[in-house]
Structure formats: C-alpha cells, structure tokens
Amino acid sequence: MKLEVELDKFLKIKTNGRDDSSSNYSNYPYEPTPYIVLQGLCNSGYISKKDKIIDFGSGKGRVDFYLSFAAKAKMIGVEINERLYNSSLENKKKCISSQRVEFVNCDASKYILPSDTTGAYFFNPFSPKILKKILNNIMSSLEENPREFKLFFYYPSQEYLNLLEEYENIEYIENISFQDAFDVNDQREYIVVYHVNK
C-alpha cells in the first residue's frame, strides 16, 4: 500500500480506492491497477514514446498518468462514469505528466478509435458483451488504417480469454506475471499481451 500512496503523491494525483457506486451487470467497479503492475508493464518494453494507447474504463486516470510519465506514451482514457471522468480531469490539472493524456466521457462500445492509436489496455472494466463490440471496433479501425496494434489485459477473466480466442487475427504473445509481487498467491495476477494482425 505504501507504493500506491507514494506514487500518487509523486504524480500529484488521487487514484486510490475501489468505487462500486455505479457498477452494474455491464460496467464493473472502479479499481486502480496496482503501481507495481504498471511498473512491470513499462519494464516489458511493449510500450514506448511512439505509442498512443487507449485505456478503456480509465476511472480516475492512474494508468494514463503513469504510462505517460514512465513510458512517455500518449494516452487516451475512455470512461463512461461521469463522476470518475470528472475525477480524472481534476487529476489532469495537477499531474506532472498530463500533457500527453486526454480523457473522453463516453460509452466505450461506441468510441471511435483515432487512426494513430497503437494499443488498448483493459482491467476488466465491463462485460464480455461490451468487450466484443470494442474488439470489433478495433478490427474496423485497423482495416481502415492498417498499423501495429497490441492489447493488454490485466487480471483477465476466463470469459475475456475465451472471447479473445474466437478471433483468428488476435495473436497471443505472452503473460507478464505478477504473482511474486503480492502476498496472496493468485493465478490471475498477470497481464496478457496480444498482437492484432492486420
């Protein structure tokens, strides 16, 4: 917990704490990705200053602010909950890495990807039904503007993994494990990385 507090303070943001207030069967509770996981993702080399990543279900913006700071990537946070979206805007006013971050308040399944985006990040923000719509939107965007594109799923549900297997052009790359980073032995403590073939 110390790292969570220290890095929020360093980045000049407030992103700690779970929020169940507006969750339902389609949109899941807000819970920030642990900083140790984000550090591991940065250390993996998959994200750099050449990237523009969409954070679906961005909440208060932790992923966006951290990856823009540590990996120098451009970030777009997409959040349906207006209160969480407003929290991300408040964080953006003070954050030390806010110049490479933008936020959009909309339904993720209706979000149209900018043609220069190179990846997407998910921490179980919504139902597999919504994820399928987003994956189809990604495919349409890549058909219109062919480019390199990666998918990052932290703590993936089996339903998400099953859905991803249905797509022939989504290729599994690897799991980045974080089981040793936490006291509890949890088999889902990893980020799974995929490449979307054009």
Side-chain angles (χ1 to χ4, degrees):
M1 192 63 182
K2 187 180 178 185
L3 184 64
E4 309 301 296
V5 174
E6 286 180 352
L7 282 175
D8 254 21
K9 187 176 180 181
F10 173 75
L11 292 170
K12 298 183 179 176
I13 58 177
K14 294 179 180 178
T15 61
N16 280 313
R18 182 181 164 105
D19 187 333
D20 295 272
S21 61
S22 61
S23 61
N24 55 40
Y25 65 92
S26 294
N27 298 293
Y28 300 158
Y30 165 74
E31 189 173 3
T33 302
Y35 278 115
I36 196 165
V37 171
L38 294 176
Q39 288 175 333
L41 178 56
C42 284
N43 292 339
S44 71
Y46 286 118
I47 299 175
S48 73
K49 64 181 179 181
K50 297 176 183 177
D51 288 300
K52 189 172 192 176
I53 308 292
I54 305 165
D55 174 18
F56 283 104
S58 55
K60 298 176 183 178
R62 174 183 289 189
V63 169
D64 309 276
F65 295 123
Y66 185 82
L67 293 182
S68 71
F69 169 75
K72 306 296 186 242
K74 291 179 181 172
M75 300 293 301
I76 303 172
V78 177
E79 176 57 54
I80 192 171
N81 181 301
E82 191 171 354
R83 191 164 49 78
L84 291 173
Y85 166 75
N86 287 333
S87 292
S88 68
L89 294 184
E90 284 301 310
N91 282 326
K92 183 174 166 61
K93 290 177 185 177
K94 300 173 184 175
C95 184
I96 62 172
S97 61
S98 61
Q99 66 274 16
R100 289 183 295 274
V101 178
E102 62 180 286
F103 294 100
V104 181
N105 181 210
C106 76
D107 180 338
S109 67
K110 297 175 182 174
Y111 179 69
I112 298 171
L113 282 74
S115 60
D116 58 346
T117 50
T118 59
Y121 179 89
F122 304 85
F123 177 14
N124 297 325
F126 31 61
S127 68
K129 183 178 179 182
I130 293 175
L131 175 60
K132 185 163 189 169
K133 290 179 182 177
I134 291 168
L135 292 174
N136 291 339
N137 292 343
I138 290 171
M139 299 306 166
S140 296
S141 178
L142 294 178
E143 282 178 20
E144 292 175 17
N145 298 285
R147 59 195 186 273
E148 290 293 315
F149 203 93
K150 289 187 176 63
L151 302 171
F152 305 93
F153 292 87
Y154 170 56
Y155 207 81
S157 68
Q158 192 58 51
E159 290 81 8
Y160 272 29
L161 296 175
N162 293 344
L163 177 60
L164 288 158
E165 287 181 7
E166 295 177 13
Y167 290 83
E168 289 184 3
N169 55 340
I170 294 181
E171 177 188 2
Y172 167 81
I173 298 178
E174 72 162 321
N175 289 352
I176 305 171
S177 177
F178 298 100
Q179 285 186 30
D180 296 340
F182 300 96
D183 294 334
V184 181
N185 184 17
D186 190 336
Q187 300 296 316
R188 286 174 64 188
E189 279 295 352
Y190 63 94
I191 288 178
V192 59
V193 184
Y194 294 88
H195 178 262
V196 184
N197 295 314
K198 297 190 283 286

